[in-house]
Amino acid sequence: TDILKRQTDDEDTKRYAVQVMASTQSFQHTLDKLQVLEQQIRAQIRALGGNAYIDRILDYLTTHLI
């Protein structure tokens, strides 16, 4: 069965799943997509006249979570 569909508490299975995702560039693809989405969000905010509060939220999210 697909390793990612398993709901397990087994640490070895989790480590193996992370290893598979790393070896297939899944993490990099996700980071690349997040960067594209961030750029689109920031462009939309500018197009709507800007919003300093939302800009700060995005700054926080991109520096602390990505």
Side-chain angles (χ1 to χ4, degrees), residues 2-60:
D2 186 346
I3 187 103
L4 298 177
K5 290 182 181 178
R6 296 183 193 174
Q7 295 181 354
T8 182
D9 292 325
D10 181 58
E11 292 299 319
D12 289 333
T13 301
K14 290 179 183 181
R15 277 193 276 288
Y16 176 72
V18 169
Q19 181 183 8
V20 168
M21 289 185 283
S23 70
T24 60
Q25 301 298 310
S26 294
F27 291 129
Q28 188 60 51
H29 174 75
T30 300
L31 289 175
D32 293 345
K33 183 63 176 177
L34 287 171
Q35 289 176 343
V36 169
L37 291 172
E38 177 196 359
Q39 292 169 356
Q40 291 173 347
I41 291 166
R42 289 186 187 276
Q44 186 66 42
I45 292 167
R46 283 191 304 275
L48 294 170
N51 186 309
Y53 296 111
I54 294 176
D55 283 336
R56 280 190 252 152
I57 291 169
L58 284 173
D59 291 343
Y60 176 83

